């Protein structure tokens, strides 16, 4: 057995998502790991927060703990930076990490606008470092299986429509202006927080896997409507239309919880329904054939499943790539452009739109 690649992570920020990420990537109970992961350093706005984070979430590790992000970027023992700050800081955090010569895995939404995203990738290209948006769901074995069933095996015939939703009760009205869910300057709104997953599943349902597409991915026509509260979108509904007539409907809502069957893909010979706690973490899907017959595909997922994207980063870097074949830069830009257009039509604005 060839030795698995090992990668040394510097973690930026000690909020919720960073805790999920680190807990997952040091798990030892998952099947078929493709890499091993060392938590080399933690960077936080406060040294004490960093210490508390390690004690609570990864007490079995002994990373360097810093009271600033810069010290992580400059740590020579760190290979790759994981960015878990609110979206509004992603551009600056990415640029700082890249200018220190580090590879980067940055949480979704990658930045606030497509313009910011392009700036980050141009800088990464000039520096020759690896950067990927942490759209973790794309790395789930379930997603690869779903695309194979839909677009290679064509089990439901020609795919024609997809409907996907992500709705979760976030009680935004009760939050203060410091909350990333409330403050437009921090990128608040359902679209970039959760609607990005509905869009992802809708588009992955309607399109073959990136590697099998011929030429650049088509950007479908977009029509969108949003409900706003204090300028922040509480709900977003997006219609997508491809040149050949394929149709997508992607919705998000931050004031109620959706059910377990949050995504449906319809084809000429049947339907595929995706199940799970939310569109970010699908756990199974069922194919229902038009003439009768039904099959459910289940997937093992110890913990939450962040190790799949982390493994992909380690393998890509080991193989000398600067982009992920699963989430290449052009795909992050395409999604950011769609979300810019959705907000332009729907009305949700960020102060950063003007810059
Ligand atoms: N992949 C997923 O499933 C998933 C799930 C949730 C969130 N996310 C993404 O992860 C990012 C962070 O979300 P989160 O829920 O983890 O947020 P969070 O719990 O509020 O944590 C964000 C962290 O960022 C740092 N930070 C720096 N400046 C800040 C500021 N002005 N306000 C607030 N925090 C600041 C803080 O860490 P320090 O004080 O330690 O520096 C804070 O703990 C978002 O982009 C979100 O879209 C992804």
């Amino acid at each position: 057995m060839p030795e698995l690649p090992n990668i040394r992570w510097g973690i930026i920020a000690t909020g919720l998502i960073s805790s999920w990420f680190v807990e997952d990537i040091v798990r030892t109970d998952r099947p078929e790991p493709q890499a091993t992961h060392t938590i080399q350093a933690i960077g936080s706005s406060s040294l004490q927060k960093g210490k508390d984070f390690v004690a609570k979430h990864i007490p079995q590790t002994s990373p360097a703990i810093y009271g600033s992000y810069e010290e992580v970027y400059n740590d020579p023992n760190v290979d790759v930076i994981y960015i878990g700050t609110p979206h509004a800081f992603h551009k600056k955090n990415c640029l700082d990490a890249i200018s220190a010569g580090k590879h980067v895995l940055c949480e979704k939404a990658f930045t606030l606008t497509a313009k910011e995203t392009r700036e980050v990738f141009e800088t990464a290209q000039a520096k020759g470092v690896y950067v990927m948006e942490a759209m973790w769901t794309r790395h789930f074995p379930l997603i690869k299986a779903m695309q194979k069933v839909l677009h290679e095996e064509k089990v439901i015939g020609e795919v024609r429509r997809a409907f996907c939703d992500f709705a979760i009760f976030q009680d935004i009205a009760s939050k203060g202006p410091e909350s990333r869910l409330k403050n437009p300057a921090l990128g608040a709104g359902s679209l970039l927080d959760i609607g990005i997953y509905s869009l992802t599943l809708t588009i992955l349902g309607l399109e073959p896997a990136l590697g099998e597409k011929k030429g650049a991915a088509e950007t479908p026509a977009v029509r969108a409507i949003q409900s706003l509260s204090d300028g922040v979108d509480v709900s977003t509904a997006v219609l997508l239309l491809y040149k050949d007539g394929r149709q997508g409907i992607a919705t998000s809502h931050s004031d109620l919880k959706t059910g377990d069957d949050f995504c449906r893909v319809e084809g000429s010979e049947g339907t595929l329904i995706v199940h799970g706690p939310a569109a970010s973490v699908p756990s199974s899907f069922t194919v229902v054939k038009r003439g009768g017959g039904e099959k459910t595909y289940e997937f093992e997922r110890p913990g939450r499943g962040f190790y799949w994207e982390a493994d992909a980063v380690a393998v890509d870097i080991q193989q000398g790539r600067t982009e992920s074949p699963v989430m290449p830069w052009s795909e992050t830009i395409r999604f950011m452009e769609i979300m810019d257009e959705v907000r332009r039509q729907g009305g949700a604005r960020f102060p950063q739109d003007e810059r």
Side-chain angles (χ1 to χ4, degrees):
M1 276 283 284
E3 214 171 289
L4 296 176
N6 176 263
I7 198 154
R8 301 169 300 175
W9 293 89
I11 307 295
I12 295 301
T14 58
L16 178 72
I17 189 60
S18 295
S19 71
W20 289 358
F21 182 76
V22 296
E23 284 176 1
D24 248 24
I25 68 172
V26 298
R27 290 185 81 94
T28 53
D29 61 346
R30 62 193 176 102
E32 299 181 39
Q34 300 301 306
T36 58
H37 302 281
T38 303
I39 312 279
Q40 190 68 36
I42 306 288
S44 174
S45 57
S46 124
L47 189 58
Q48 191 55 50
K49 271 180 87 174
K51 288 179 180 168
D52 293 346
F53 178 84
V54 172
K56 182 168 177 195
H57 300 290
I58 37 171
Q60 71 275 42
T61 71
S62 45
I65 303 173
Y66 301 116
S68 77
Y69 300 164
E70 286 69 26
E71 288 167 282
V72 181
Y73 305 142
N74 293 324
D75 186 329
N77 295 317
V78 167
D79 302 313
V80 56
I81 304 289
Y82 169 81
I83 295 172
T85 54
H87 342 309
F89 304 110
H90 291 177
K91 175 185 148 188
K92 176 176 170 30
N93 300 149
C94 283
L95 292 177
D96 288 350
I98 292 166
S99 71
K102 299 298 194 217
H103 304 298
V104 173
L105 174 66
C106 177
E107 266 308 326
K108 47 56 63 178
F110 187 69
T111 57
L112 293 181
T113 64
K115 184 172 172 228
E116 290 188 349
T117 291
R118 281 191 217 96
E119 187 180 337
V120 171
F121 290 145
E122 280 160 17
T123 312
Q125 186 167 35
K127 199 79 179 174
V129 295
Y130 178 89
V131 179
M132 183 173 82
E133 178 185 0
M135 181 37 78
W136 63 309
T137 317
R138 287 190 184 237
H139 299 270
F140 279 35
L142 177 147
I143 293 295
K144 290 171 190 173
M146 181 185 87
Q147 287 202 295
K148 189 164 180 239
V149 162
L150 287 173
H151 300 292
E152 288 178 42
E153 298 168 0
K154 295 190 180 288
V155 173
I156 61 165
E158 291 304 320
V159 170
R160 304 229 168 109
R161 292 204 294 182
F163 308 78
C164 298
D165 180 53
F166 194 149
I168 188 172
F169 182 61
Q170 293 181 317
D171 193 16
I172 291 169
S174 73
K175 299 205 185 311
E178 76 292 345
S179 167
R180 75 172 185 86
L181 301 176
K182 178 87 170 185
N183 186 343
L186 293 181
S190 79
L191 176 64
L192 269 68
D193 195 39
I194 53 179
I196 191 170
Y197 289 109
S198 326
L199 271 175
T200 297
L201 282 194
T202 300
I203 287 177
L204 294 180
L206 291 171
E207 297 182 11
L210 283 171
E212 293 137 38
K213 278 177 192 154
K214 305 208 172 27
E218 174 186 345
T219 296
V222 172
R223 296 289 181 276
I225 192 160
Q226 297 183 299
S227 67
L228 306 180
S229 169
D230 296 330
V232 171
D233 78 279
V234 174
S235 73
T236 291
V238 185
L239 301 177
L240 303 171
L241 184 65
Y242 291 77
K243 289 195 187 87
D244 66 1
R246 274 169 300 151
Q247 179 194 63
I249 301 179
T251 53
S252 56
H253 207 297
S254 55
D255 211 22
L256 80 159
K257 173 85 178 81
T258 196
D260 283 355
D261 298 343
F262 46 75
C263 182
R264 191 166 88 244
V265 185
E266 293 181 345
S268 54
E269 291 164 32
T271 301
L272 183 148
I273 301 149
V274 188
H275 325 278
S280 54
V281 278
S283 52
S284 62
F285 63 82
T286 302
V287 171
V288 184
K289 298 276 287 177
R290 184 138 302 145
E294 192 173 310
K295 179 176 174 186
T296 295
Y297 298 69
E298 307 273 0
F299 298 84
E300 194 183 349
R301 183 171 55 87
R304 296 186 171 88
F306 287 93
Y307 33 76
W308 287 312
E309 68 173 355
D311 281 8
V313 171
V315 170
D316 287 340
I317 290 173
Q318 185 203 36
Q319 297 186 355
R321 289 194 274 267
T322 53
E323 295 188 43
S324 157
V326 174
M327 193 67 199
W329 298 351
S330 57
E331 188 68 347
T332 294
I333 291 170
R334 183 169 73 129
F335 271 70
M336 290 307 309
E337 286 176 344
I338 291 174
M339 292 196 296
D340 280 359
E341 179 60 18
V342 168
R343 290 191 303 108
R344 193 188 67 74
Q345 294 181 23
R349 307 293 295 160
F350 303 134
Q352 292 85 343
D353 288 325
E354 314 311 327
R355 291 176 204 153

